[in-house]
């Protein structure tokens, strides 16, 4: 019977073709040609003696039998992917800890402190998966993650790291060479940068919101610069090109080391439910590597956490 079953590659082709109901789009996803996809589907049909798709000159549709095998291929590939992930974690030994996190948290906070962890835990080798995409601990070869969200992840344990307090920052040179910044309305004479982000009814503070909190209701935001991520906005401030709204925790080092200054004390909180969280599966909560990393990062957060910057 096993000789009648399609292999993994064939199952992936079937799954993609059935999901798209288009051999060309499936081919683009798989890195194949449409002809190769069509040929593989025909091979599966011949091997099983089952028609999987009905074809017309313009469309393809799954047959009832094709639907059954499509649903089974999803389950089979998912199960195999999870097994491969577990197998990889078993074979790479107990010294390696893989951490997934976004580029901003990595560059602005973690990488500046990670040498301290390595000194304390010389027997644990850290590796990083830098990505904005949320990883699946069952499918992806990662052990712990740092995610921005609400901290509610089924099957995962979550530890809140930072509250997000958004403050204005600029380069020291901008204060000395540009138009003066004595009161919030003086910001009208500068280029202002922020990001756009909204989720679950919560909006990341922008300049219109900051000005309103400062008592300014006639602010025209048509000349502000909107960046896709905070890293670019902060870099524009460091280079003296703008006054940016930035997350205090992510620019604390730049402030303490003199690359940035905070011209006004007013800060705005992001929705209280949102924050950076350290997350990992409940099933691995007692793993010594994860315990060591958790204790270290929570200690670092406590050490670097400052007094409330909000208003």
């Amino acid at each position: 019977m096993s000789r009648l079953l399609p292999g993994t590659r064939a199952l992936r082709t079937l799954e993609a073709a059935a999901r798209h109901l288009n051999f060309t789009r499936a081919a683009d996803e798989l890195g194949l040609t449409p002809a190769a996809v069509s040929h593989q589907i025909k091979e599966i049909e011949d091997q099983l003696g089952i028609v999987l798709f009905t074809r017309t000159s313009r469309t393809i549709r799954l047959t009832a039998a094709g639907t059954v095998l499509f649903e089974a291929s999803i389950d089979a590939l998912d199960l195999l992917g999870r097994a491969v992930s577990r197998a990889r974690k078993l074979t790479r030994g107990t010294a390696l800890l893989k951490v997934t996190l976004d580029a901003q948290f990595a560059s602005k906070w973690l990488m500046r402190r990670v040498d301290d962890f390595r000194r304390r835990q010389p027997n644990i080798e850290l590796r990083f998966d830098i990505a904005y995409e949320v990883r699946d601990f069952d499918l992806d070869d990662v052990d712990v993650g740092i995610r921005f969200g609400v901290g509610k992840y089924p099957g995962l344990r979550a530890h809140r790291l930072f509250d997000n307090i958004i403050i204005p920052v600029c380069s020291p040179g901008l204060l000395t060479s540009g138009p003066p910044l004595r009161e919030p309305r003086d910001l009208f004479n500068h280029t202002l940068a922020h990001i756009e982000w909204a989720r679950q009814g919560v909006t990341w503070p922008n300049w219109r919101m900051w000005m309103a909190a400062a008592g300014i209701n006639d602010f025209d935001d048509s000349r502000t610069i909107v960046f896709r991520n905070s890293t670019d906005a902060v870099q524009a401030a460091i280079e003296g090109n703008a006054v940016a709204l930035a997350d205090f925790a992510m620019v604390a080092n730049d402030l303490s080391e003199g690359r940035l200054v905070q011209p006004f004390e007013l800060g705005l909180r992001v929705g209280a439910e949102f924050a950076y969280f350290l997350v990992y599966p409940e099933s691995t909560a007692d793993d010594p590597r994860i315990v060591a990393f958790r204790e270290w990062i929570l200690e670092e957060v406590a050490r670097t956490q400052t007094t409330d910057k909000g208003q």
Side-chain angles (χ1 to χ4, degrees):
M1 176 61 72
S2 62
R3 289 178 295 177
L4 298 178
L5 298 178
T8 304
R9 182 175 300 176
L11 284 179
R12 291 191 184 281
T13 302
L14 168 60
E15 188 276 335
R19 177 163 35 85
H20 290 290
L21 290 177
N22 184 293
F23 287 172
T24 298
R25 287 199 291 270
D28 289 341
E29 178 181 310
L30 297 169
L32 301 172
T33 64
V37 170
S38 180
H39 179 71
Q40 286 190 29
I41 296 298
K42 185 64 168 60
E43 279 192 336
I44 299 171
E45 292 178 325
D46 291 344
Q47 181 183 3
L48 299 178
I50 298 172
V51 176
L52 302 175
F53 296 89
T54 56
R55 301 163 175 82
T56 68
S57 60
R58 293 185 177 181
T59 63
I60 62 171
R61 291 187 177 182
L62 280 167
T63 64
T67 299
V68 170
L69 286 180
F70 168 50
E71 293 173 350
S73 68
I74 294 174
D75 293 339
L77 291 169
D78 180 72
L79 180 63
L80 183 59
R82 294 175 190 277
V84 168
S85 177
R86 291 196 300 271
R88 283 176 174 165
K89 289 177 183 178
L90 288 172
T91 56
R92 60 176 163 85
T94 59
L96 181 62
L97 183 71
K98 287 194 174 182
V99 183
T100 180
L101 69 166
D102 66 48
Q104 176 177 317
F105 195 95
S107 63
K108 291 296 183 181
W109 197 87
L110 186 64
M111 294 306 180
R112 298 170 183 265
R113 296 168 171 81
V114 75
D115 284 345
D116 179 68
F117 177 82
R118 288 175 169 143
R119 283 192 296 269
R120 296 191 191 190
Q121 302 290 340
N123 295 323
I124 298 178
E125 178 187 354
L126 285 181
R127 290 188 188 173
F128 299 101
D129 169 63
I130 308 298
Y132 285 102
E133 297 81 9
V134 174
R135 300 304 194 195
D136 185 326
F137 288 99
D138 288 334
L139 289 174
D140 299 307
D141 188 19
V142 295
D143 300 300
V144 299
I146 297 169
R147 295 177 178 172
F148 183 78
V150 296
K152 297 178 181 178
Y153 308 105
L156 301 184
R157 190 170 294 184
H159 302 270
R160 190 183 188 95
L161 298 182
F162 296 109
D163 293 322
N164 298 95
I165 302 169
I166 310 307
I167 61 170
V169 294
C170 65
S171 72
L174 195 68
L175 291 182
T176 58
S177 62
L181 283 173
R182 301 187 184 93
E183 59 181 47
R185 192 172 288 274
D186 291 337
L187 288 163
F188 287 21
N189 300 316
H190 291 267
T191 300
L192 305 179
H194 64 264
I195 66 169
E196 281 188 352
W197 181 93
R199 190 179 300 171
Q200 300 179 21
V202 175
T203 300
W204 194 271
N206 55 38
W207 276 111
R208 179 174 291 278
M209 296 164 64
W210 191 92
M211 291 290 181
I216 298 173
N217 297 313
D218 59 343
F219 175 64
D220 178 8
D221 62 2
S222 62
R223 295 181 61 188
T224 59
I225 299 175
V226 179
F227 286 94
R228 294 182 61 185
N229 61 70
S230 296
T231 302
D232 292 338
V234 170
Q235 189 59 37
I238 290 174
E239 293 174 358
N241 298 322
V243 182
L245 287 177
D247 185 346
F248 176 79
M250 295 299 103
V251 295
N253 282 93
D254 293 311
L255 290 167
S256 65
E257 295 168 9
R259 285 182 293 275
L260 290 172
V261 294
Q262 183 178 348
F264 302 105
E265 288 298 315
L266 176 62
L268 301 182
R269 288 185 180 274
V270 182
E273 64 270 37
F274 283 92
Y276 275 105
F277 289 86
L278 173 71
V279 295
Y280 49 87
E282 289 276 4
S283 59
T284 57
D286 295 328
D287 184 315
R289 298 165 303 163
I290 293 177
V291 171
F293 187 77
R294 178 184 68 220
E295 291 178 350
W296 171 78
I297 197 169
L298 292 179
E299 181 182 324
E300 282 297 305
V301 167
R303 189 191 342 268
T304 58
Q305 193 74 285
T306 64
T307 56
D308 186 357
K309 291 283 180 177
Q311 298 292 326

